[in-house]
Structure formats: structure tokens, C-alpha cells
Amino acid sequence: MATNTATASFITPALQAFPNLMTINRKRTGFCGRTRREFLWQSGAGFGAAAMSSMLSRDGFFGASAGASESAFRNPLAAKPPHFAPKAKSVIFLFMYGGPSHIDTFDYKPKMNGMDGKTVDVKTFGRGGHKAGGRIVEPRWKFKQHGQCGKWVSSLFPNVAKHVDDIAFLHSMTADSPIHGSAMLMMNSGKILSGNPAIGSWVNYGLGSVNENMPGFVVMLDPTGGPISGAKNWSSGYMPATYAGTVFRSKGAPILDLAAPADFPEGVQRTLIDSIQNANTQHMAMHPGNDDLASRIASYELAYNMQSTAPEAVDLAGEDAQTLAMYGIDKEGTRDFGTRCLMARRLVQRGVRFVQLYSGGAHNDDNWDAHGDLETNHNKHAGHTDQPIAALLADLKRTGMLDETLVVWGGEFGRQPTAEYANGSGRDHNAYGFTMWMAGGGIKGGVSHGTTDELGAAAVENPLHVKNLHATILHQLGLDPNHLSYFYSGLDQKLVGVEEVEPIHEIIA
């Protein structure tokens, strides 16, 4: 960057006074130029900062967009380069809402065999509060070894078990809350409080979209309803609304009210949108750097383009009968989740960055929240999802997409080894230790990382936090989790928080 002498004489003492300025500029790649100017004012430089800002603008310090051309519309979803070469292009997050029991699915605990009904001293913390002991509920399903890696998997997931050599199991996950609402927000946004962007929004913001015809972040809900806290789980929080998740339906129109009115003559809608966009663009010229306005302009174009692309993306008519049967779409129990898994594959094929599928919705046994009858609950939900998930992994692999698609499975927490009530097999929530897994997208297959104790009550070896999971997802997409930031409320906000967080290097190929 060429800098004239007068500007240089001013910059040197200014940078000495404000040493973070150059860092701020480097870290603001993809940010509006106004953020850098605001820094000068917020740093207390006053009128001197105004003069400095003016000279730096003329010399290109803020980038071309911060000068006279700043009024030009810049699509917030324009594709952006990653921080480094990515292993994955897309993410499919299979969210088992309610909290599946790790010790009944993928975390084999042979020492619990024969302990059913025995009272043990074990610290637990769930919706029933802190407890110091309880009655053991022995795992209700038999475990067998599978694959070349010999991974133990319960009979709840006989189809997923066939793919263990492609999966990395994380047996020492921990979270900060054992309560659904806050735990859901943490798993989705990294924080237990609402108002923060979901991980899909961070991906949207960090990488943009490779096309302008589909949203970058899609959410597909269970037919029983959405999860607790609802849209907060896919909100863009303090980021512009452009980065929020878009809810797709698996039946009927994928997005409500997307189609133009039936009585609109051909070409009228395009003319109307052009008129609105011209007015918006003129308005933006008077309000340069307005992220919300830029998002509004982008949303009109995206909605218009999706009228033709979204229905095609979720139309399964072109899929052959063998593929439909593989996903279980020909059977009542697996039809819905199988349909959404196949839709997810089609969406990532069309450039959607982040797709999240929910298994379970509403409350009680409509999701994996097995407080009463563990067997009835888990047989139901595993029965709905096992075949479709296995089909998704097989389909991605046969089409060569698994290498560039990161698949994540898990809930907001696990379940306790002890019974919640005096009678029955129900288990309370467990955020002290639970299992999630990842496959594809540059992740090692056939490995298990971390352990819980012999009862599965808490993580004991290589404990992992939700933040480590998020850091790994971002890393595989070519984003540095400790440098991807968004300037808000005077701080560089990050998905993983203030302190540096490492990806799970042991499972990265």
C-alpha cells in the first residue's frame, strides 16, 4: 500500500499511541470499513482520529470499499476465502434433541452388566438437581463389536454400526448446563444465554455462500415441532439477519410464502423487486456500511432466486427407487427422517454450507428425553433415525462427497447411569460426560477419543467441551476458531469465546 509522506508522519505516532490498530485492521477482513473507523473514535483519539481516518481512507488503509465506493451494495453472503485450505466444504449436523443415552448407544460399559437395581454412590446433576447416589439402570441393549476397528455399538444402531470405520467417536464430551434450553443454546451457539449467533451463522459469516440461489444455513425440524427455545437455536444473534438459518419443510413448499401470487403476470414480480432494490440502493448510498440494509437487499434477491431453486433442491422425484429405499423413505417409521437426510445430501450438493436436522421435537417422549420409559423412548427414536443416518453416510461415500462433507451426530447432553425415579428405567440429564461423533470432512475413521468413568457418569480421560467440538468444525472448514470474530458491543466476539480453544487434533486426519 502506497502512503504519502504527510500521512506517514501522522501514522507513526498514532500507531504508537494505538498499537492495536494494525491488528484490528488485519482481523477485520470481511468487516465493514466503519468498524475500523469506529475503533478510532472508541479508542479516545477524538478529532485527531477523525483526521487520521480521513487520510488513511484516501490512502486505501480501509480498503477500496471504505472510500467513495462504499455506497455500492456488497452482498453479505458473497463467497469469502477461508483462513487456510479446508478439509470440508459443508456440514450436516444430525441433532438428537432431548439427549440420547451414551451408555445405551455408543459408550460401552461392561462393568454395569449385572448391576441393575443396585444402589451406588455417584454424583449426578440433572433437572432433578444434585444427587449423591442412586439406583443403577443397566444398559437395556446388547453391545457387539463392529468394523475393522472393533468398535462396540448397541443393538439400537445396527445400521450405523456398519460405518464405524468412517466415524470418530467422542466419548468425553461435557457441557455447562444440564437443562434443555440453555444446553441447546450452548450446543448451537457456544453460550448458555440467548442472543448469540448459531454455529451455522458463524459459518455463513466466515465463508459466505458459493451460490446466490440458496441460503447458506438450512434447518429442518422434526414433524412433532421445534426444539425448546425455538428459533434462538438457529438465530444470527447480533449478526445481520442474512446469516440466520432458513427453515425448510420436508412436505409441501420447502419455505412458506416463497412463491409469487398465482395471479401475478409474468415479469411483474421482477419489475417490482427491481424497483424496490433501486430504492434500497439509493437509500444505502446515504447510509454507507449499514449491515442491516445490505442484508435486506440481499434477502430480496435470494428469495426471488429461491422460488425456482429451492423446490428443485428438495424434490426427490429424480431419485431412483433404490436410493429412496436405502434411506427408508418407503417405510412409515423412517420416512420423515430419511426424507430429510436425503434432502440434506441434495442441499450440500448445491452448495449449502451448513444443514441441521432435528430428530425429536416438542416435549417428553416426542424427543430423546427419556425420563420415564427408556426402552420405549430410545427404541422409537433410534428406530426412526438409524437406517437414514447409515444411508446418508453410505450415499455421501459412494458419491465421493463424504471427504468434503462433515457429518456431526449428538444431542445437547447425555443421560445418567442411575434411575431418575424410584421405579422405571428413565434417566435424568447428564452434562458431565456424554458421546457425540463426527465423520467425513477430513476426520479420522474408526477411532474413539476420550472416556467416561466405568458407569458413564462423567468424563475422566481427555475431557472435551462443546467449544472443542465447535473449534473442530470451524477448523475443518478452513476457519481459525480463535481468529474468526465479529465486532459487536465493543468486543471481538467469537463462537469459542475469549480464551483460546484447540480443535480436537487427535481425530483430524
Side-chain angles (χ1 to χ4, degrees):
M1 177 183 71
T3 306
N4 64 40
T5 304
T7 305
S9 65
F10 183 83
I11 288 177
T12 301
L15 291 182
Q16 291 173 348
F18 306 104
N20 290 329
L21 181 58
M22 292 303 292
T23 302
I24 289 292
N25 184 59
R26 288 196 299 270
K27 292 171 68 176
R28 287 297 182 271
T29 302
F31 285 71
C32 294
R34 69 186 178 94
T35 302
R36 299 166 188 158
R37 289 197 185 89
E38 287 173 353
F39 169 78
L40 295 172
W41 288 100
Q42 292 165 0
S43 63
F47 290 105
M52 180 180 178
S53 176
S54 176
M55 287 188 289
L56 291 177
S57 293
R58 288 197 302 269
D59 287 319
F61 183 83
F62 295 111
S65 62
S69 63
E70 189 169 21
S71 61
F73 168 68
R74 291 166 293 163
N75 187 351
L77 286 178
K80 304 170 189 175
H83 296 153
F84 46 82
K87 298 286 185 69
K89 294 181 179 179
S90 304
V91 176
I92 298 176
F93 196 142
L94 306 170
F95 204 115
M96 307 294 110
Y97 165 50
S101 172
H102 51 294
I103 55 180
D104 292 287
T105 53
F106 302 110
D107 194 2
Y108 181 44
K109 298 299 176 187
K111 290 189 177 181
M112 292 184 71
N113 293 332
M115 294 183 65
D116 201 49
K118 293 184 178 180
T119 301
V120 296
D121 295 328
V122 57
K123 293 182 179 180
T124 58
F125 179 32
R127 72 171 187 178
H130 290 275
K131 296 180 181 180
R135 171 175 59 87
I136 286 288
V137 175
E138 186 178 322
R140 293 304 197 240
W141 294 268
K142 299 297 182 182
F143 279 73
K144 288 175 57 179
Q145 287 182 287
H146 296 270
Q148 293 183 352
C149 65
K151 175 64 182 172
W152 290 88
V153 179
S154 88
S155 57
L156 271 174
F157 285 97
N159 292 293
V160 172
K162 299 173 184 176
H163 298 273
V164 292
D165 289 328
D166 293 318
I167 295 174
F169 294 90
L170 308 173
H171 291 306
S172 53
M173 290 296 303
T174 64
D176 291 348
S177 172
I179 305 302
H180 289 296
S182 51
M184 288 283 295
L185 291 175
M186 166 155 278
M187 187 58 71
N188 280 311
S189 72
K191 310 289 192 302
I192 61 174
L193 300 177
S194 60
N196 297 284
I199 183 171
S201 298
W202 280 101
V203 172
N204 240 1
Y205 161 70
L207 294 175
S209 176
V210 295
N211 63 60
E212 297 184 358
N213 300 321
M214 293 290 290
F217 176 18
V218 170
V219 177
M220 290 186 279
L221 304 176
D222 192 272
T224 59
I228 194 168
S229 298
K232 292 179 181 179
N233 290 292
W234 52 89
S235 165
S236 58
Y238 44 74
M239 291 182 183
T242 309
Y243 303 117
T246 300
V247 177
F248 270 38
R249 303 191 308 163
S250 58
K251 294 181 180 179
I255 303 174
L256 292 175
D257 303 319
L258 179 64
D263 57 351
F264 253 42
E266 185 177 355
V268 170
Q269 185 185 31
R270 180 68 261 181
T271 301
L272 178 61
I273 291 176
D274 287 342
S275 177
I276 294 172
Q277 297 295 62
N278 287 336
N280 282 338
T281 301
Q282 293 176 29
H283 185 59
M284 190 168 185
M286 296 182 290
H287 300 83
N290 188 318
D291 292 345
D292 291 333
L293 184 54
S295 295
R296 176 71 61 86
I297 294 173
S299 68
Y300 276 114
E301 287 303 316
L302 179 59
Y304 179 78
N305 293 334
M306 282 198 299
Q307 288 182 346
S308 59
T309 58
E312 183 278 331
V314 300
D315 185 1
L316 307 186
E319 301 288 343
D320 58 49
Q322 181 180 0
T323 298
L324 298 177
M326 181 174 70
Y327 279 90
I329 297 174
D330 58 341
K331 294 182 292 187
E332 181 63 30
T334 51
R335 179 173 298 125
D336 177 77
F337 200 76
T339 297
R340 287 186 283 135
C341 281
L342 181 51
M343 287 169 58
R345 189 266 283 165
R346 292 175 61 88
L347 289 172
V348 297
Q349 275 184 312
R350 287 155 177 77
V352 177
R353 297 276 193 194
F354 200 98
V355 182
Q356 189 173 50
L357 281 67
Y358 281 91
S359 164
H363 300 285
N364 302 322
D365 284 328
D366 278 338
N367 58 61
W368 293 79
D369 197 21
H371 288 283
D373 188 332
L374 175 71
E375 292 147 281
T376 298
N377 179 285
H378 275 33
N379 278 328
K380 171 185 176 181
H381 295 292
H384 290 172
T385 60
D386 174 48
Q387 181 181 345
I389 293 172
L392 176 63
L393 294 175
D395 203 8
L396 290 172
K397 193 168 185 178
R398 75 174 183 177
T399 56
M401 295 176 59
L402 187 60
D403 290 340
E404 58 187 32
T405 305
L406 180 61
V407 182
V408 182
W409 179 96
E412 63 269 39
F413 39 57
R415 308 207 79 80
Q416 296 174 8
T418 50
E420 183 170 7
Y421 304 119
N423 298 304
S425 58
R427 304 185 189 276
D428 203 349
H429 312 160
N430 182 4
Y432 288 157
F434 57 98
T435 294
M436 298 185 72
W437 59 253
M438 307 175 82
I443 296 295
K444 292 178 182 177
V447 300
S448 295
H449 181 71
T451 62
T452 51
D453 58 48
E454 61 185 20
L455 298 179
V460 292
E461 180 184 358
N462 297 319
L464 300 169
H465 193 271
V466 171
K467 293 179 180 180
N468 296 113
L469 179 81
H470 289 166
T472 306
I473 293 173
L474 293 181
H475 181 274
Q476 296 307 95
L477 290 167
L479 295 170
D480 185 334
N482 298 301
H483 286 87
L484 178 66
S485 63
Y486 186 91
F487 194 73
Y488 173 73
S489 192
L491 296 173
D492 281 329
Q493 308 284 350
K494 301 173 185 175
L495 172 64
V496 297
V498 177
E499 296 183 359
E500 195 152 310
V501 177
E502 288 294 315
I504 310 169
H505 295 290
E506 293 83 354
I507 68 167
I508 297 175

